[in-house]
Amino acid sequence: KQEVTQIPAALSVPEGENLVLNCSFTDSAIYNLQWFRQDPGKGLTSLLLIQSSQREQTSGRLNASLDKSSGRSTLYIAASQPGDSATYLCAVYSGGGADGLTFGKGTHLIIQP
Amino acid sequence: DTAVSQTPKYLVTQMGNDKSIKCEQNLGHDTMYWYKQDSKKFLKIMFSYNNKELIINETVPNRFSPKSPDKAHLNLHINSLELGDSAVYFCASSLRGGGSGNTIYFGEGSWLTVV
């Protein structure tokens, strides 16, 4: 059974810092991995999607890496801004089950102005 | 124009009632999903629906049933509501199923409170 863990559970940093969020998964047989952002009272917004054959994806100040064999992914946020404050969720697709994503519990990020 | 929309956004109801949450996507996607986010903010897949094929998470009670009148809609019906059903329910869609590697788009959630 696939399990996804995110560390840290919460993080507070001053504006302008670069930061790394970590995600690990127990079964390396994944098809893809996605990073999402969730704002309070809102749905999820997909940030980056990495296929199992890829090593990383970049979008603006965000860079996500994937090391499938070791079951790890990181989300790097450069030059953080207060608007980046949100909960960041990592999810993997492994097939089976109800054909849906398996999510971690998220990292609650606060960027201090 | 909202890509994935759900109604109602908030729903408070008594135990034992039957309720429905509606979901519509205007993205032309083939696959739709329902996820549940519990009080600990943990998101879990409940159902996926692709071209009339329904895949159910075996942990979901049979009081929950998805109904799809057409490809753009996947409604969630819940019978005999229990206190433990209180959660946020998210509808989502993707062009194909999860294994195809398509981005999944989520609605803004429906907050269900059972009293």
Side-chain angles (χ1 to χ4, degrees), chain B residues 16-32:
Chain B
N17 283 352
D18 302 338
K19 290 295 177 185
S20 295
I21 304 172
K22 295 185 177 180
C23 178
E24 175 182 5
Q25 53 95 3
N26 62 6
L27 298 167
H29 286 171
D30 286 341
T31 304
M32 296 184 72

PDB file of all heavy atoms in Angstrom, chain B residues 16-32:
ATOM      1  N   GLY B  16     -28.790  11.053   9.502  1.00  0.00           N
ATOM      2  CA  GLY B  16     -29.856  10.252   8.942  1.00  0.00           C
ATOM      3  C   GLY B  16     -30.410  10.782   7.625  1.00  0.00           C
ATOM      4  O   GLY B  16     -31.099  10.056   6.897  1.00  0.00           O
ATOM      5  N   ASN B  17     -30.115  12.063   7.332  1.00  0.00           N
ATOM      6  CA  ASN B  17     -30.609  12.643   6.080  1.00  0.00           C
ATOM      7  C   ASN B  17     -29.833  12.098   4.879  1.00  0.00           C
ATOM      8  O   ASN B  17     -28.739  11.543   5.013  1.00  0.00           O
ATOM      9  CB  ASN B  17     -30.472  14.163   6.120  1.00  0.00           C
ATOM     10  CG  ASN B  17     -31.548  14.816   6.963  1.00  0.00           C
ATOM     11  OD1 ASN B  17     -32.492  14.167   7.411  1.00  0.00           O
ATOM     12  ND2 ASN B  17     -31.397  16.110   7.207  1.00  0.00           N
ATOM     13  N   ASP B  18     -30.434  12.298   3.709  1.00  0.00           N
ATOM     14  CA  ASP B  18     -29.781  11.985   2.440  1.00  0.00           C
ATOM     15  C   ASP B  18     -29.479  13.310   1.740  1.00  0.00           C
ATOM     16  O   ASP B  18     -30.351  14.193   1.677  1.00  0.00           O
ATOM     17  CB  ASP B  18     -30.702  11.151   1.542  1.00  0.00           C
ATOM     18  CG  ASP B  18     -31.142   9.847   2.188  1.00  0.00           C
ATOM     19  OD1 ASP B  18     -30.440   9.375   3.105  1.00  0.00           O
ATOM     20  OD2 ASP B  18     -32.184   9.313   1.774  1.00  0.00           O
ATOM     21  N   LYS B  19     -28.260  13.438   1.215  1.00  0.00           N
ATOM     22  CA  LYS B  19     -27.890  14.680   0.549  1.00  0.00           C
ATOM     23  C   LYS B  19     -27.067  14.391  -0.706  1.00  0.00           C
ATOM     24  O   LYS B  19     -26.487  13.314  -0.859  1.00  0.00           O
ATOM     25  CB  LYS B  19     -27.059  15.581   1.475  1.00  0.00           C
ATOM     26  CG  LYS B  19     -27.845  16.185   2.624  1.00  0.00           C
ATOM     27  CD  LYS B  19     -28.903  17.147   2.109  1.00  0.00           C
ATOM     28  CE  LYS B  19     -29.738  17.692   3.268  1.00  0.00           C
ATOM     29  NZ  LYS B  19     -30.858  18.538   2.798  1.00  0.00           N
ATOM     30  N   SER B  20     -27.023  15.401  -1.579  1.00  0.00           N
ATOM     31  CA  SER B  20     -26.232  15.280  -2.802  1.00  0.00           C
ATOM     32  C   SER B  20     -25.343  16.494  -2.975  1.00  0.00           C
ATOM     33  O   SER B  20     -25.708  17.612  -2.591  1.00  0.00           O
ATOM     34  CB  SER B  20     -27.146  15.177  -4.022  1.00  0.00           C
ATOM     35  OG  SER B  20     -27.899  13.997  -3.978  1.00  0.00           O
ATOM     36  N   ILE B  21     -24.186  16.265  -3.560  1.00  0.00           N
ATOM     37  CA  ILE B  21     -23.274  17.337  -3.954  1.00  0.00           C
ATOM     38  C   ILE B  21     -23.072  17.204  -5.462  1.00  0.00           C
ATOM     39  O   ILE B  21     -22.807  16.113  -5.967  1.00  0.00           O
ATOM     40  CB  ILE B  21     -21.914  17.224  -3.241  1.00  0.00           C
ATOM     41  CG1 ILE B  21     -22.105  17.190  -1.722  1.00  0.00           C
ATOM     42  CG2 ILE B  21     -21.027  18.405  -3.627  1.00  0.00           C
ATOM     43  CD1 ILE B  21     -20.824  16.887  -0.959  1.00  0.00           C
ATOM     44  N   LYS B  22     -23.212  18.334  -6.145  1.00  0.00           N
ATOM     45  CA  LYS B  22     -23.110  18.299  -7.600  1.00  0.00           C
ATOM     46  C   LYS B  22     -21.740  18.772  -8.056  1.00  0.00           C
ATOM     47  O   LYS B  22     -21.121  19.630  -7.422  1.00  0.00           O
ATOM     48  CB  LYS B  22     -24.187  19.181  -8.219  1.00  0.00           C
ATOM     49  CG  LYS B  22     -25.588  18.684  -7.954  1.00  0.00           C
ATOM     50  CD  LYS B  22     -26.618  19.530  -8.684  1.00  0.00           C
ATOM     51  CE  LYS B  22     -28.018  18.974  -8.462  1.00  0.00           C
ATOM     52  NZ  LYS B  22     -29.050  19.758  -9.160  1.00  0.00           N
ATOM     53  N   CYS B  23     -21.281  18.226  -9.168  1.00  0.00           N
ATOM     54  CA  CYS B  23     -19.995  18.628  -9.734  1.00  0.00           C
ATOM     55  C   CYS B  23     -20.097  18.676 -11.244  1.00  0.00           C
ATOM     56  O   CYS B  23     -20.643  17.757 -11.877  1.00  0.00           O
ATOM     57  CB  CYS B  23     -18.894  17.666  -9.314  1.00  0.00           C
ATOM     58  SG  CYS B  23     -17.283  18.085 -10.025  1.00  0.00           S
ATOM     59  N   GLU B  24     -19.513  19.729 -11.786  1.00  0.00           N
ATOM     60  CA  GLU B  24     -19.496  19.892 -13.239  1.00  0.00           C
ATOM     61  C   GLU B  24     -18.119  20.364 -13.677  1.00  0.00           C
ATOM     62  O   GLU B  24     -17.512  21.199 -13.012  1.00  0.00           O
ATOM     63  CB  GLU B  24     -20.550  20.926 -13.662  1.00  0.00           C
ATOM     64  CG  GLU B  24     -20.527  21.242 -15.143  1.00  0.00           C
ATOM     65  CD  GLU B  24     -21.550  22.298 -15.530  1.00  0.00           C
ATOM     66  OE1 GLU B  24     -22.214  22.846 -14.625  1.00  0.00           O
ATOM     67  OE2 GLU B  24     -21.669  22.587 -16.740  1.00  0.00           O
ATOM     68  N   GLN B  25     -17.624  19.821 -14.788  1.00  0.00           N
ATOM     69  CA  GLN B  25     -16.363  20.317 -15.340  1.00  0.00           C
ATOM     70  C   GLN B  25     -16.587  20.716 -16.796  1.00  0.00           C
ATOM     71  O   GLN B  25     -17.283  20.026 -17.544  1.00  0.00           O
ATOM     72  CB  GLN B  25     -15.244  19.264 -15.202  1.00  0.00           C
ATOM     73  CG  GLN B  25     -15.540  17.887 -15.757  1.00  0.00           C
ATOM     74  CD  GLN B  25     -15.059  17.648 -17.175  1.00  0.00           C
ATOM     75  OE1 GLN B  25     -14.428  18.522 -17.789  1.00  0.00           O
ATOM     76  NE2 GLN B  25     -15.356  16.474 -17.710  1.00  0.00           N
ATOM     77  N   ASN B  26     -15.981  21.843 -17.159  1.00  0.00           N
ATOM     78  CA  ASN B  26     -16.136  22.358 -18.524  1.00  0.00           C
ATOM     79  C   ASN B  26     -14.841  22.251 -19.313  1.00  0.00           C
ATOM     80  O   ASN B  26     -14.587  23.034 -20.234  1.00  0.00           O
ATOM     81  CB  ASN B  26     -16.651  23.804 -18.489  1.00  0.00           C
ATOM     82  CG  ASN B  26     -15.677  24.754 -17.800  1.00  0.00           C
ATOM     83  OD1 ASN B  26     -14.565  24.369 -17.449  1.00  0.00           O
ATOM     84  ND2 ASN B  26     -16.085  25.977 -17.594  1.00  0.00           N
ATOM     85  N   LEU B  27     -14.003  21.276 -18.933  1.00  0.00           N
ATOM     86  CA  LEU B  27     -12.691  21.112 -19.556  1.00  0.00           C
ATOM     87  C   LEU B  27     -12.685  20.055 -20.643  1.00  0.00           C
ATOM     88  O   LEU B  27     -11.656  19.836 -21.277  1.00  0.00           O
ATOM     89  CB  LEU B  27     -11.665  20.741 -18.471  1.00  0.00           C
ATOM     90  CG  LEU B  27     -11.482  21.808 -17.395  1.00  0.00           C
ATOM     91  CD1 LEU B  27     -10.711  21.240 -16.207  1.00  0.00           C
ATOM     92  CD2 LEU B  27     -10.760  23.016 -17.961  1.00  0.00           C
ATOM     93  N   GLY B  28     -13.804  19.378 -20.819  1.00  0.00           N
ATOM     94  CA  GLY B  28     -13.834  18.304 -21.812  1.00  0.00           C
ATOM     95  C   GLY B  28     -13.074  17.067 -21.384  1.00  0.00           C
ATOM     96  O   GLY B  28     -12.683  16.238 -22.215  1.00  0.00           O
ATOM     97  N   HIS B  29     -12.860  16.912 -20.078  1.00  0.00           N
ATOM     98  CA  HIS B  29     -12.098  15.777 -19.559  1.00  0.00           C
ATOM     99  C   HIS B  29     -12.927  14.495 -19.566  1.00  0.00           C
ATOM    100  O   HIS B  29     -14.152  14.529 -19.496  1.00  0.00           O
ATOM    101  CB  HIS B  29     -11.637  16.067 -18.129  1.00  0.00           C
ATOM    102  CG  HIS B  29     -10.523  17.054 -18.067  1.00  0.00           C
ATOM    103  ND1 HIS B  29     -10.079  17.602 -16.874  1.00  0.00           N
ATOM    104  CD2 HIS B  29      -9.744  17.588 -19.033  1.00  0.00           C
ATOM    105  CE1 HIS B  29      -9.072  18.424 -17.125  1.00  0.00           C
ATOM    106  NE2 HIS B  29      -8.859  18.436 -18.423  1.00  0.00           N
ATOM    107  N   ASP B  30     -12.198  13.374 -19.653  1.00  0.00           N
ATOM    108  CA  ASP B  30     -12.861  12.073 -19.667  1.00  0.00           C
ATOM    109  C   ASP B  30     -13.023  11.468 -18.274  1.00  0.00           C
ATOM    110  O   ASP B  30     -13.870  10.588 -18.095  1.00  0.00           O
ATOM    111  CB  ASP B  30     -12.043  11.075 -20.504  1.00  0.00           C
ATOM    112  CG  ASP B  30     -12.176  11.341 -21.990  1.00  0.00           C
ATOM    113  OD1 ASP B  30     -13.136  12.022 -22.384  1.00  0.00           O
ATOM    114  OD2 ASP B  30     -11.315  10.874 -22.754  1.00  0.00           O
ATOM    115  N   THR B  31     -12.190  11.890 -17.348  1.00  0.00           N
ATOM    116  CA  THR B  31     -12.181  11.248 -16.032  1.00  0.00           C
ATOM    117  C   THR B  31     -12.516  12.255 -14.947  1.00  0.00           C
ATOM    118  O   THR B  31     -11.994  13.365 -14.936  1.00  0.00           O
ATOM    119  CB  THR B  31     -10.792  10.634 -15.749  1.00  0.00           C
ATOM    120  OG1 THR B  31     -10.465   9.725 -16.793  1.00  0.00           O
ATOM    121  CG2 THR B  31     -10.806   9.876 -14.422  1.00  0.00           C
ATOM    122  N   MET B  32     -13.395  11.842 -14.048  1.00  0.00           N
ATOM    123  CA  MET B  32     -13.746  12.671 -12.901  1.00  0.00           C
ATOM    124  C   MET B  32     -13.574  11.865 -11.622  1.00  0.00           C
ATOM    125  O   MET B  32     -13.625  10.637 -11.637  1.00  0.00           O
ATOM    126  CB  MET B  32     -15.180  13.204 -13.034  1.00  0.00           C
ATOM    127  CG  MET B  32     -15.361  14.130 -14.223  1.00  0.00           C
ATOM    128  SD  MET B  32     -17.001  14.859 -14.350  1.00  0.00           S
ATOM    129  CE  MET B  32     -16.961  16.037 -12.983  1.00  0.00           C
TER     130      MET B  32
END
